[in-house]
PDB file of all heavy atoms in Angstrom:
ATOM      1  N   ARG A 223     -34.146  -2.161   8.266  1.00 93.00           N
ATOM      2  CA  ARG A 223     -35.293  -3.043   7.680  1.00 93.00           C
ATOM      3  C   ARG A 223     -36.644  -2.521   8.071  1.00 93.00           C
ATOM      4  O   ARG A 223     -37.684  -3.095   7.931  1.00 93.00           O
ATOM      5  CB  ARG A 223     -35.136  -4.425   8.395  1.00 93.00           C
ATOM      6  CG  ARG A 223     -33.820  -5.184   8.005  1.00 93.00           C
ATOM      7  CD  ARG A 223     -33.795  -6.512   8.594  1.00 93.00           C
ATOM      8  NE  ARG A 223     -32.527  -7.277   8.356  1.00 93.00           N
ATOM      9  CZ  ARG A 223     -31.448  -7.181   9.066  1.00 93.00           C
ATOM     10  NH1 ARG A 223     -31.423  -6.437  10.160  1.00 93.00           N
ATOM     11  NH2 ARG A 223     -30.325  -7.745   8.713  1.00 93.00           N
ATOM     12  N   LEU A 224     -36.707  -1.187   8.784  1.00 94.00           N
ATOM     13  CA  LEU A 224     -37.985  -0.634   9.158  1.00 94.00           C
ATOM     14  C   LEU A 224     -38.460   0.162   7.952  1.00 94.00           C
ATOM     15  O   LEU A 224     -37.720   0.661   7.037  1.00 94.00           O
ATOM     16  CB  LEU A 224     -37.745   0.328  10.279  1.00 94.00           C
ATOM     17  CG  LEU A 224     -38.037  -0.374  11.660  1.00 94.00           C
ATOM     18  CD1 LEU A 224     -37.047  -1.513  12.004  1.00 94.00           C
ATOM     19  CD2 LEU A 224     -38.055   0.767  12.868  1.00 94.00           C
ATOM     20  N   PRO A 225     -39.907   0.268   7.799  1.00 93.00           N
ATOM     21  CA  PRO A 225     -40.440   1.135   6.842  1.00 93.00           C
ATOM     22  C   PRO A 225     -40.433   2.528   7.129  1.00 93.00           C
ATOM     23  O   PRO A 225     -41.198   3.303   6.616  1.00 93.00           O
ATOM     24  CB  PRO A 225     -41.778   0.600   6.684  1.00 93.00           C
ATOM     25  CG  PRO A 225     -42.137   0.014   8.015  1.00 93.00           C
ATOM     26  CD  PRO A 225     -40.950  -0.470   8.612  1.00 93.00           C
ATOM     27  N   PHE A 226     -39.454   3.002   7.948  1.00 93.00           N
ATOM     28  CA  PHE A 226     -39.437   4.424   8.348  1.00 93.00           C
ATOM     29  C   PHE A 226     -38.006   4.839   8.029  1.00 93.00           C
ATOM     30  O   PHE A 226     -37.107   4.103   8.332  1.00 93.00           O
ATOM     31  CB  PHE A 226     -39.846   4.591   9.768  1.00 93.00           C
ATOM     32  CG  PHE A 226     -41.137   4.036  10.263  1.00 93.00           C
ATOM     33  CD1 PHE A 226     -41.242   2.884  10.888  1.00 93.00           C
ATOM     34  CD2 PHE A 226     -42.280   4.737   9.894  1.00 93.00           C
ATOM     35  CE1 PHE A 226     -42.538   2.333  11.235  1.00 93.00           C
ATOM     36  CE2 PHE A 226     -43.458   4.129  10.250  1.00 93.00           C
ATOM     37  CZ  PHE A 226     -43.586   3.008  10.926  1.00 93.00           C
ATOM     38  N   SER A 227     -37.900   6.091   7.641  1.00 94.00           N
ATOM     39  CA  SER A 227     -36.609   6.669   7.455  1.00 94.00           C
ATOM     40  C   SER A 227     -36.385   7.665   8.646  1.00 94.00           C
ATOM     41  O   SER A 227     -37.306   8.117   9.265  1.00 94.00           O
ATOM     42  CB  SER A 227     -36.519   7.524   6.170  1.00 94.00           C
ATOM     43  OG  SER A 227     -37.401   8.437   6.182  1.00 94.00           O
ATOM     44  N   PHE A 228     -35.031   7.953   8.945  1.00 94.00           N
ATOM     45  CA  PHE A 228     -34.678   8.825   9.885  1.00 94.00           C
ATOM     46  C   PHE A 228     -33.766   9.797   9.390  1.00 94.00           C
ATOM     47  O   PHE A 228     -32.790   9.637   8.693  1.00 94.00           O
ATOM     48  CB  PHE A 228     -34.123   8.046  11.097  1.00 94.00           C
ATOM     49  CG  PHE A 228     -34.975   7.047  11.748  1.00 94.00           C
ATOM     50  CD1 PHE A 228     -35.057   5.768  11.127  1.00 94.00           C
ATOM     51  CD2 PHE A 228     -35.723   7.297  12.765  1.00 94.00           C
ATOM     52  CE1 PHE A 228     -35.913   4.774  11.722  1.00 94.00           C
ATOM     53  CE2 PHE A 228     -36.560   6.277  13.380  1.00 94.00           C
ATOM     54  CZ  PHE A 228     -36.726   5.086  12.783  1.00 94.00           C
ATOM     55  N   SER A 229     -33.921  11.163   9.872  1.00 92.00           N
ATOM     56  CA  SER A 229     -33.250  12.264   9.348  1.00 92.00           C
ATOM     57  C   SER A 229     -31.810  12.350   9.848  1.00 92.00           C
ATOM     58  O   SER A 229     -31.008  12.949   9.285  1.00 92.00           O
ATOM     59  CB  SER A 229     -33.894  13.527   9.611  1.00 92.00           C
ATOM     60  OG  SER A 229     -34.245  13.725  10.804  1.00 92.00           O
ATOM     61  N   GLN A 230     -31.648  11.884  11.164  1.00 93.00           N
ATOM     62  CA  GLN A 230     -30.340  12.221  11.724  1.00 93.00           C
ATOM     63  C   GLN A 230     -29.751  10.861  12.371  1.00 93.00           C
ATOM     64  O   GLN A 230     -30.285  10.310  13.309  1.00 93.00           O
ATOM     65  CB  GLN A 230     -30.448  13.190  12.984  1.00 93.00           C
ATOM     66  CG  GLN A 230     -30.654  14.561  12.378  1.00 93.00           C
ATOM     67  CD  GLN A 230     -30.293  15.680  13.391  1.00 93.00           C
ATOM     68  OE1 GLN A 230     -29.599  15.310  14.287  1.00 93.00           O
ATOM     69  NE2 GLN A 230     -30.887  16.838  13.213  1.00 93.00           N
ATOM     70  N   THR A 231     -28.736  10.435  11.691  1.00 95.00           N
ATOM     71  CA  THR A 231     -27.877   9.347  12.300  1.00 95.00           C
ATOM     72  C   THR A 231     -26.493   9.826  12.525  1.00 95.00           C
ATOM     73  O   THR A 231     -25.827  10.507  11.771  1.00 95.00           O
ATOM     74  CB  THR A 231     -27.729   8.119  11.238  1.00 95.00           C
ATOM     75  OG1 THR A 231     -29.035   7.721  10.890  1.00 95.00           O
ATOM     76  CG2 THR A 231     -27.029   6.956  11.802  1.00 95.00           C
ATOM     77  N   HIS A 232     -25.942   9.638  13.642  1.00 96.00           N
ATOM     78  CA  HIS A 232     -24.704  10.264  14.217  1.00 96.00           C
ATOM     79  C   HIS A 232     -23.616   9.147  14.378  1.00 96.00           C
ATOM     80  O   HIS A 232     -23.976   8.113  14.916  1.00 96.00           O
ATOM     81  CB  HIS A 232     -24.966  10.972  15.499  1.00 96.00           C
ATOM     82  CG  HIS A 232     -25.752  12.180  15.379  1.00 96.00           C
ATOM     83  ND1 HIS A 232     -25.227  13.508  15.347  1.00 96.00           N
ATOM     84  CD2 HIS A 232     -27.129  12.293  15.307  1.00 96.00           C
ATOM     85  CE1 HIS A 232     -26.234  14.233  15.254  1.00 96.00           C
ATOM     86  NE2 HIS A 232     -27.355  13.657  15.194  1.00 96.00           N
ATOM     87  N   ALA A 233     -22.494   9.343  13.864  1.00 96.00           N
ATOM     88  CA  ALA A 233     -21.400   8.445  13.961  1.00 96.00           C
ATOM     89  C   ALA A 233     -20.211   9.165  14.579  1.00 96.00           C
ATOM     90  O   ALA A 233     -19.833  10.344  14.282  1.00 96.00           O
ATOM     91  CB  ALA A 233     -21.031   7.856  12.640  1.00 96.00           C
ATOM     92  N   VAL A 234     -19.562   8.441  15.573  1.00 96.00           N
ATOM     93  CA  VAL A 234     -18.372   8.965  16.164  1.00 96.00           C
ATOM     94  C   VAL A 234     -17.151   7.970  15.883  1.00 96.00           C
ATOM     95  O   VAL A 234     -17.257   6.753  16.184  1.00 96.00           O
ATOM     96  CB  VAL A 234     -18.523   9.035  17.654  1.00 96.00           C
ATOM     97  CG1 VAL A 234     -17.236   9.610  18.344  1.00 96.00           C
ATOM     98  CG2 VAL A 234     -19.680  10.028  18.126  1.00 96.00           C
ATOM     99  N   ILE A 235     -16.236   8.464  15.166  1.00 96.00           N
ATOM    100  CA  ILE A 235     -15.102   7.671  14.715  1.00 96.00           C
ATOM    101  C   ILE A 235     -13.800   8.027  15.381  1.00 96.00           C
ATOM    102  O   ILE A 235     -13.477   9.308  15.425  1.00 96.00           O
ATOM    103  CB  ILE A 235     -14.899   7.799  13.131  1.00 96.00           C
ATOM    104  CG1 ILE A 235     -16.180   7.219  12.521  1.00 96.00           C
ATOM    105  CG2 ILE A 235     -13.767   6.953  12.561  1.00 96.00           C
ATOM    106  CD1 ILE A 235     -17.042   8.310  11.843  1.00 96.00           C
ATOM    107  N   ASP A 236     -12.926   7.113  15.895  1.00 95.00           N
ATOM    108  CA  ASP A 236     -11.735   7.437  16.426  1.00 95.00           C
ATOM    109  C   ASP A 236     -10.637   6.934  15.549  1.00 95.00           C
ATOM    110  O   ASP A 236     -10.600   5.821  15.004  1.00 95.00           O
ATOM    111  CB  ASP A 236     -11.603   6.836  17.887  1.00 95.00           C
ATOM    112  CG  ASP A 236     -12.354   7.453  18.861  1.00 95.00           C
ATOM    113  OD1 ASP A 236     -12.708   8.546  18.657  1.00 95.00           O
ATOM    114  OD2 ASP A 236     -12.515   6.907  20.078  1.00 95.00           O
ATOM    115  N   LEU A 237      -9.614   7.829  15.389  1.00 94.00           N
ATOM    116  CA  LEU A 237      -8.320   7.458  14.635  1.00 94.00           C
ATOM    117  C   LEU A 237      -7.150   7.326  15.504  1.00 94.00           C
ATOM    118  O   LEU A 237      -6.942   8.338  16.269  1.00 94.00           O
ATOM    119  CB  LEU A 237      -8.153   8.448  13.462  1.00 94.00           C
ATOM    120  CG  LEU A 237      -9.322   8.823  12.618  1.00 94.00           C
ATOM    121  CD1 LEU A 237      -9.045   9.901  11.596  1.00 94.00           C
ATOM    122  CD2 LEU A 237      -9.861   7.636  11.824  1.00 94.00           C
ATOM    123  N   ARG A 238      -6.491   6.163  15.397  1.00 92.00           N
ATOM    124  CA  ARG A 238      -5.281   6.044  16.252  1.00 92.00           C
ATOM    125  C   ARG A 238      -4.119   5.616  15.428  1.00 92.00           C
ATOM    126  O   ARG A 238      -4.240   4.499  14.755  1.00 92.00           O
ATOM    127  CB  ARG A 238      -5.525   5.097  17.444  1.00 92.00           C
ATOM    128  CG  ARG A 238      -4.423   5.072  18.414  1.00 92.00           C
ATOM    129  CD  ARG A 238      -4.772   4.013  19.439  1.00 92.00           C
ATOM    130  NE  ARG A 238      -5.939   4.506  20.299  1.00 92.00           N
ATOM    131  CZ  ARG A 238      -5.764   5.293  21.333  1.00 92.00           C
ATOM    132  NH1 ARG A 238      -4.534   5.861  21.722  1.00 92.00           N
ATOM    133  NH2 ARG A 238      -6.771   5.671  22.074  1.00 92.00           N
ATOM    134  N   HIS A 239      -3.016   6.489  15.488  1.00 89.00           N
ATOM    135  CA  HIS A 239      -1.889   6.154  14.583  1.00 89.00           C
ATOM    136  C   HIS A 239      -0.904   5.321  15.541  1.00 89.00           C
ATOM    137  O   HIS A 239      -0.755   5.686  16.781  1.00 89.00           O
ATOM    138  CB  HIS A 239      -1.286   7.441  14.159  1.00 89.00           C
ATOM    139  CG  HIS A 239      -0.232   7.339  13.127  1.00 89.00           C
ATOM    140  ND1 HIS A 239       1.058   6.912  13.276  1.00 89.00           N
ATOM    141  CD2 HIS A 239      -0.373   7.329  11.791  1.00 89.00           C
ATOM    142  CE1 HIS A 239       1.692   6.681  12.093  1.00 89.00           C
ATOM    143  NE2 HIS A 239       0.879   7.035  11.252  1.00 89.00           N
ATOM    144  N   SER A 240      -0.261   4.400  15.003  1.00 86.00           N
ATOM    145  CA  SER A 240       0.677   3.531  15.808  1.00 86.00           C
ATOM    146  C   SER A 240       1.836   4.277  16.471  1.00 86.00           C
ATOM    147  O   SER A 240       2.461   3.984  17.373  1.00 86.00           O
ATOM    148  CB  SER A 240       1.215   2.369  15.007  1.00 86.00           C
ATOM    149  OG  SER A 240       1.877   2.883  13.722  1.00 86.00           O
TER     150      SER A 240
END
Side-chain angles (χ1 to χ4, degrees):
R223 300 183 181 91
L224 267 64
F226 305 103
S227 60
F228 299 87
S229 60
Q230 288 197 24
T231 304
H232 294 258
V234 179
I235 298 107
D236 283 348
L237 308 176
R238 187 178 294 276
H239 196 279
S240 57

